[in-house]
């Protein structure tokens, strides 16, 4: 599955096409940082979630990471970053896979005194080193 963005806070030179293609208007070296709120909603056995990067529709070699959700309602946060080069007009997608549809990327509503929890936080910084 590709990870989508439904709310964009700031999009300086990066647009979201078709909900999940993050397209750059100018080339450079980019740092992609993300966090995903993961949960397993039901079922008793441990399940894996894999997360990786795709560039222009092709999986990026050695970008996959595996996370195991052992129990129901055992929230975990997957958070790391990728550094990669893109040309103007290129796009990337953050991808994920699981064999169990009870494993999900979830958000949580605000509950006083704390604010809501987003399912995905994605930050992209361009032109590293300039």
């Amino acid at each position: 599955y590709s990870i989508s963005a439904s709310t964009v806070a700031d999009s300086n030179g990066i647009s979201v096409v078709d909900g999940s293609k993050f397209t750059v208007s100018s080339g450079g070296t980019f740092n992609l940082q993300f966090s995903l709120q993961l949960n397993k909603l039901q079922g008793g056995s441990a399940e894996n979630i894999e997360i990786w990067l795709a560039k222009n529709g092709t999986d990026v070699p050695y970008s996959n990471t595996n996370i195991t959700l052992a129990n129901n309602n055992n929230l975990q946060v997957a958070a790391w970053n990728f550094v990669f080069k893109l040309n103007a007009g290129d796009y990337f997608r953050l991808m994920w896979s699981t064999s169990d549809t009870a494993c999900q990327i979830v958000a949580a509503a605000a509950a006083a005194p704390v604010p809501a929890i987003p399912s995905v936080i994605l930050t992209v910084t361009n032109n590293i080193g300039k």
Side-chain angles (χ1 to χ4, degrees):
Y1 308 102
S2 58
I3 295 172
S4 62
S6 60
T7 303
V8 177
D10 189 1
S11 61
N12 188 12
I14 300 172
S15 58
V16 182
V17 178
D18 298 331
S20 64
K21 288 182 181 177
F22 300 91
T23 305
V24 299
S25 61
S26 61
T29 301
F30 293 81
N31 182 14
L32 161 63
Q33 301 172 37
F34 72 89
S35 64
L36 308 173
Q37 179 75 57
L38 305 172
N39 193 12
K40 183 172 182 231
L41 302 175
Q42 64 183 6
S45 61
E47 296 294 339
N48 294 329
I49 293 177
E50 300 192 52
I51 303 164
W52 69 95
L53 183 67
K55 177 181 166 184
N56 295 325
T58 302
D59 294 338
V60 174
Y62 300 105
S63 65
N64 190 26
T65 299
N66 192 335
I67 293 177
T68 301
L69 297 178
N71 300 309
N72 298 344
N73 298 315
N74 182 10
L75 295 169
Q76 289 192 29
V77 175
W80 55 87
N81 70 294
F82 298 105
V83 175
F84 54 97
K85 291 184 179 183
L86 294 172
N87 296 314
D90 283 351
Y91 71 91
F92 66 89
R93 283 185 162 153
L94 192 56
M95 307 295 293
W96 76 294
S97 176
T98 182
S99 60
D100 186 346
T101 58
C103 294
Q104 297 182 357
I105 302 171
V106 297
V114 298
I117 299 171
S119 56
V120 178
I121 298 173
L122 178 74
T123 303
V124 181
T125 307
N126 61 354
N127 298 318
I128 297 171
K130 282 192 173 183

